[in-house]
Amino acid sequence: MLMLNVGHAVHDADWNFEKVNSPFSRIYYVTKGEAGLKIGETLYHLTPGNMYMIPAFTEHTDICHGVFEHFYVHIYEDAASEQELIGRFDFPVEIQGTALDAALFRNLCDHNMAMALKFSDPKIYDNKHSLIECVRLNRERPLFDRLESVGIIYQLVGRFVRFARPKFQITDARVEQALKTISSNIDEVVTVDSLAKEACMSKDHFIRLFRKDLGETPAQFIINDKMTRAKLMLASENMSVKEIAFSLGYYDISYFNRLFKKHTLLTPRQYRTCFNKDL
């Protein structure tokens, strides 16, 4: 995990942003006032002493009609990582915060004052160019500095994991191994035949077992996983569409474009342009 931004924000009816959809996750701890957070058809009332989590690629709207103050941290899970955490759970949006949570946020802010947002409008900081720069700066930070900050982030994420549910329950070790194989070979063409052979099962038996645990076929899972990573890379990496396709094991660019459009209703170039349309 990389920490992109952290700070304490003070607002007065000026935290109103519609349809925010970011390639990174957000955690808030409210310290004063009230605001609204709309996800889908559900409106959450942000109140002091509570913490809130918005996973990456979750469209939401911020609503504020008065005084509202909160700690915030933006968390980026590297597309190259094989140990995704946030993406594997369904998290509660709201949990009760503690004095320790507030202290952790203060510590994180005090040690990373340069990482506070200069502007609160997502159109300014939530775009490809800003993300690339934030990711680059974080990767270049001293190891001890990154470890201290990420240690606190894991504690904050852990508070939500306590109440989270895994997106899927793995009941068979062979399916678990197949997931590891898919993740560690994201840049290769992984076939269902090869996964079934590794699991020492027939192809039909393996597909049934995989679908039972994950709710979709191995082929569907592989495509969805790669398309999610493609969205993250298009939003935060300074790579061409061709380079991204190759890095995900797609050497036919037309096929990659068709898959991506089927998954997002946009071509990769349209998605990247749409992500930066307000710059």
Side-chain angles (χ1 to χ4, degrees):
M1 290 187 184
L2 295 176
M3 181 176 65
L4 300 179
N5 308 106
V6 63
H8 183 260
V10 178
H11 297 283
D12 189 357
D14 61 349
W15 193 68
N16 294 280
F17 309 107
E18 294 187 354
K19 296 182 177 180
V20 180
N21 194 334
S22 307
F24 54 82
S25 301
R26 294 169 163 85
I27 294 180
Y28 301 146
Y29 181 102
V30 180
T31 56
K32 184 178 180 180
E34 293 185 351
L37 172 66
K38 189 174 183 180
I39 299 177
E41 297 301 317
T42 304
L43 177 63
Y44 298 90
H45 297 281
L46 279 57
T47 56
N50 285 352
M51 287 208 299
Y52 301 84
M53 184 173 187
I54 308 171
F57 298 113
T58 300
E59 186 173 283
H60 60 282
T61 295
D62 305 320
I63 305 167
C64 177
H65 301 301
V67 173
F68 175 61
E69 300 181 10
H70 69 291
F71 288 112
Y72 62 85
V73 62
H74 298 165
I75 305 166
Y76 172 87
E77 282 196 287
D78 200 324
S81 173
E82 298 176 10
Q83 298 183 357
E84 182 185 36
L85 173 63
I86 295 177
R88 293 193 174 275
F89 288 90
D90 285 323
F91 290 94
V93 173
E94 179 182 42
I95 64 172
Q96 185 174 354
T98 67
L100 176 58
D101 297 326
L104 289 172
F105 262 110
R106 281 193 291 271
N107 190 319
L108 202 56
C109 291
D110 289 345
H111 287 82
N112 298 278
M113 289 187 290
M115 298 180 71
L117 291 171
K118 294 180 175 61
F119 305 95
S120 59
D121 189 342
K123 293 178 183 178
I124 298 176
Y125 69 82
D126 188 359
N127 58 75
K128 172 175 169 278
H129 303 291
S130 295
L131 289 174
I132 288 174
E133 183 64 10
C134 283
V135 170
R136 182 187 68 79
L137 291 173
N138 272 276
R139 286 172 175 163
E140 293 177 354
R141 295 172 68 190
L143 178 60
F144 72 87
D145 197 8
R146 281 185 286 138
L147 287 175
E148 290 175 358
S149 296
V150 171
I152 293 176
I153 288 174
Y154 270 109
Q155 291 183 71
L156 295 173
V157 173
R159 294 275 288 111
F160 286 87
V161 171
R162 181 188 297 270
F163 305 101
R165 295 179 300 176
K167 288 186 176 179
F168 37 78
Q169 296 285 351
I170 306 302
T171 61
D172 193 293
R174 293 168 293 185
V175 174
E176 181 68 38
Q177 180 56 47
L179 292 178
K180 292 179 181 178
T181 299
I182 292 169
S183 180
S184 61
N185 293 279
I186 195 69
D187 59 338
E188 301 290 340
V189 178
V190 178
T191 66
V192 178
D193 287 322
S194 66
L195 292 172
K197 183 177 179 180
E198 183 183 43
C200 299
M201 287 186 282
S202 70
K203 181 178 178 180
D204 288 343
H205 185 199
F206 174 71
I207 291 174
R208 286 196 299 272
L209 193 64
F210 194 99
R211 191 202 295 268
K212 175 178 175 291
D213 278 0
L214 283 93
E216 57 187 350
T217 67
Q220 291 169 332
F221 180 89
I222 291 170
I223 290 174
N224 289 338
D225 188 36
K226 290 194 177 191
M227 292 303 103
T228 297
R229 298 196 188 209
K231 289 195 298 180
L232 184 59
M233 296 171 78
L234 284 165
S236 60
E237 299 287 347
N238 195 20
M239 300 169 65
S240 68
V241 172
K242 181 178 180 180
E243 289 172 327
I244 290 173
F246 282 8
S247 72
L248 294 171
Y250 293 110
Y251 301 102
D252 183 335
I253 305 303
S254 296
Y255 177 63
F256 172 73
N257 287 340
R258 289 197 301 274
L259 273 181
F260 190 89
K261 186 171 184 178
K262 184 177 180 180
H263 190 83
T264 65
L265 303 181
L266 297 169
T267 68
R269 294 187 188 281
Q270 288 171 335
Y271 180 84
R272 178 170 270 173
T273 300
C274 181
F275 186 73
N276 294 280
K277 64 183 178 181
D278 291 305
L279 289 181

